[in-house]
Amino acid sequence: MHSLAISTPGLIALTAVVTAAIIYLIILAVRLTQRPRNRPAPSADLVEQARELKAMGQLQEAVFLVRGETGMSHRAATRFVNRL
């Protein structure tokens, strides 16, 4: 009868692949929970206020305004203000 023996290097490789896949899935799940996709779009009034602050050279204030009104991360709000 033929046995299903796995060599030590093969077992190590299999363990590494399974471990990497599990780590990837955990990282993916964490990223998806941190980025809700159904956020409402910023209002036209908010966009106008942020534009005015940016035009006056008050970038940080514009970013804080956008963050406070939308719940965006600092990075996302900074990108949003820079694109105005």
Side-chain angles (χ1 to χ4, degrees), residues 3 8 11 19 25-26 29 34-35 42 55-57 63 70 72 76 78:
S3 67
T8 302
L11 185 59
T19 303
L25 290 174
I26 290 170
Q34 291 179 349
R35 295 185 191 169
M56 292 187 297
V63 170
T70 63
M72 287 183 188
T78 302

Side-chain angles (χ1 to χ4, degrees), residues 54-69:
K54 182 180 177 185
M56 292 187 297
Q58 298 177 342
L59 291 174
Q60 280 302 107
E61 289 78 3
V63 170
F64 290 138
L65 174 68
V66 171
R67 288 187 72 193
E69 294 292 321

Side-chain angles (χ1 to χ4, degrees), residues 47 50-51 53-55 57-64 66 72-84:
V47 171
R51 267 196 192 119
L53 287 170
K54 182 180 177 185
Q58 298 177 342
L59 291 174
Q60 280 302 107
E61 289 78 3
V63 170
F64 290 138
V66 171
M72 287 183 188
S73 69
H74 184 77
R75 182 177 177 192
T78 302
R79 282 193 312 240
F80 178 81
V81 169
N82 287 335
R83 291 178 182 167
L84 292 177

Side-chain angles (χ1 to χ4, degrees), residues 35-58:
R35 295 185 191 169
R37 301 286 181 199
N38 56 354
R39 242 186 258 156
S43 68
D45 186 44
L46 174 65
V47 171
E48 187 58 34
Q49 289 176 347
R51 267 196 192 119
E52 288 174 9
L53 287 170
K54 182 180 177 185
M56 292 187 297
Q58 298 177 342

